[in-house]
Amino acid sequence: MKILRKISETKRITSALILKKKTIGFVPTMGYLHEGHLSLVKAARKKADVVIVSIFVNPLQFAPNEDFTKYPRNFKKDEKLCRNEGVDYIFYPDIKEMYPDDYSTYVIVENVSLGLEGKIRPEHFRGVATIVLKLFNIVQCSFAVFGQKDAQQACVIKKMAEDLNVNTKIIISPTIREKDGLAMSSRNVYLNPEQREDAAYLYKALEYARRKLTLENYNRDIEFIRGQISKLIKSRKTATKIDYISFNNSRTLEEVKTLKNLKNTDILISLAVRFGKVRLIDNIVIKR
Ligand code: AMP
């Protein structure tokens, strides 16, 4: 496994691989890797001749009041985990390499970026789309794997790839969870023991909704389901604020306002909840 810190060297290597007709599979991350990230690497490893993981905490997707400087980092551990998974290259640039002082180009994906996370974090997806397109151009991958954990991000990237005729296939991989259901996230290290215990209720609440909508075939008031999810989460002392509990078309992210006549519409139920200063997101998709 080789660590690449420069764009020029990385492009040289990936161009040579393409000439040799190698399939490059790519997993973009912000590091502090866990089993969720590694599941994406495994999915890439199955299909690719060469697997590249990027580790870059992208300042552009953090608002000034967010946790960019505090975001957890442990490159040595990440390196070991990647080596164990058979990764071929880690692309690990520094900030100036990606955003030199005169940097001035950004990618904005309209509509799907606006609701949910986009409402609370208005600049976030501009940062995400910009870095992802830059990374695609550098690693020149045939496909890239993203996690369903960040459902809106997956929609934004897919739309960007479609609209800008990007030569990379986008693959979405399922959310990996802890034993108690909490979706794995680099940010889970911020949780104190009590918050950690309460955080498992996010998935319990989503599973409640799944049961109601599938097993019980509930098709009446969506506000009732939202209310029940909210009640369950609010019953936990450390859940200090619910940013949203949302029902959306899983592809277009249009809001689903009624459960009637929803044939062929998969519903994304997503939520964002703060446990003190720690903000967690999670989602499930109800297939119809
Ligand atoms: P991040 O390092 O948080 O930017 O995440 C990098 C990639 O890993 C993104 O595509 C995430 O959606 C994905 N990811 C993060 N957590 C999980 C998880 N628990 N299960 C599956 N994929 C995940």
Side-chain angles (χ1 to χ4, degrees):
M1 188 179 76
K2 200 166 169 201
I3 294 155
L4 304 169
R5 307 230 50 190
K6 294 290 171 209
I7 293 170
S8 56
E9 187 193 6
T10 307
K11 282 185 98 162
R12 233 184 356 259
I13 288 172
T14 53
S15 297
L17 288 168
I18 288 164
L19 277 180
K20 286 193 219 149
K21 304 251 181 299
K22 301 287 185 197
T23 306
I24 300 174
F26 177 48
V27 180
T29 81
M30 298 204 297
Y32 211 73
L33 303 181
H34 50 66
E35 283 299 325
H37 296 113
L38 299 182
S39 72
L40 311 186
V41 173
K42 287 183 177 95
R45 187 67 283 171
K46 269 193 201 146
K47 294 183 182 211
D49 298 315
V50 175
V51 173
I52 305 182
V53 170
S54 66
I55 296 181
F56 181 65
V57 185
N58 175 34
L60 212 61
Q61 69 193 66
F62 290 78
N65 62 333
E66 291 179 352
D67 55 347
F68 172 68
T69 49
K70 279 194 283 156
Y71 194 83
R73 294 160 168 92
N74 187 345
F75 184 72
K76 279 287 152 224
K77 184 170 171 220
D78 291 348
E79 191 184 340
K80 213 166 168 182
L81 289 170
C82 284
R83 190 168 276 123
N84 287 345
E85 292 299 335
V87 169
D88 298 286
Y89 296 96
I90 300 181
F91 179 54
Y92 179 49
D94 68 24
I95 294 179
K96 280 280 179 278
E97 182 75 2
M98 296 304 275
Y99 302 116
D101 289 337
D102 62 348
Y103 191 83
S104 40
T105 304
Y106 302 92
V107 180
I108 293 170
V109 183
E110 297 188 337
N111 302 324
V112 285
S113 294
L114 292 179
L116 307 169
E117 288 300 287
K119 224 179 207 160
I120 314 273
R121 311 177 69 191
E123 303 285 288
H124 177 67
F125 289 116
R126 166 181 175 268
V128 170
T130 302
I131 192 65
V132 169
L133 188 58
K134 276 172 72 68
L135 289 167
F136 282 2
N137 286 334
I138 294 164
V139 305
Q140 309 186 74
C141 43
S142 333
F143 69 88
V145 191
F146 292 83
Q148 174 63 27
K149 159 78 171 36
D150 298 280
Q152 189 176 13
Q153 170 172 284
C155 290
V156 168
I157 301 300
K158 274 189 180 165
K159 193 73 183 104
M160 174 191 76
E162 182 189 331
D163 286 354
L164 297 182
N165 313 102
V166 170
N167 283 328
T168 295
K169 190 174 174 225
I170 309 299
I171 296 171
I172 308 302
S173 212
T175 302
I176 304 297
R177 300 179 179 280
E178 303 284 358
K179 275 205 182 72
D180 63 1
L182 175 65
M184 290 191 180
S185 163
S186 307
R187 289 192 168 98
N188 291 349
V189 289
Y190 298 148
L191 297 165
N192 68 31
E194 202 185 348
Q195 291 169 331
R196 170 63 190 81
E197 205 171 294
D198 287 353
Y201 279 74
L202 301 184
Y203 189 57
K204 288 196 208 311
L206 290 170
E207 279 296 285
Y208 158 82
R210 188 202 297 283
R211 275 198 309 278
K212 204 76 191 157
L213 266 56
T214 54
L215 296 181
E216 295 180 29
N217 238 330
Y218 181 90
N219 68 355
R220 293 193 297 276
D221 185 13
I222 221 165
E223 290 314 318
F224 171 75
I225 306 279
R226 199 192 319 268
Q228 292 297 104
I229 294 176
S230 170
K231 213 153 111 188
L232 193 56
I233 293 170
K234 282 183 181 155
S235 74
R236 310 315 300 174
K237 214 169 70 214
T238 69
T240 39
K241 184 164 188 281
I242 297 176
D243 280 347
Y244 60 81
I245 297 164
S246 194
F247 297 72
N248 299 75
N249 177 312
S250 71
R251 197 177 50 82
T252 62
L253 297 189
E254 273 164 333
E255 192 180 349
V256 171
K257 291 187 174 142
T258 166
L259 294 167
K260 300 231 186 308
N261 307 320
L262 273 178
K263 274 209 186 91
N264 303 325
T265 304
D266 293 343
I267 306 177
L268 172 75
I269 309 181
S270 61
L271 44 76
V273 176
R274 294 175 202 251
F275 295 84
K277 284 196 180 131
V278 193
R279 185 172 183 279
L280 300 181
I281 60 171
D282 200 355
N283 70 82
I284 56 169
V285 174
I286 313 272
K287 302 263 180 211
R288 286 270 150 170

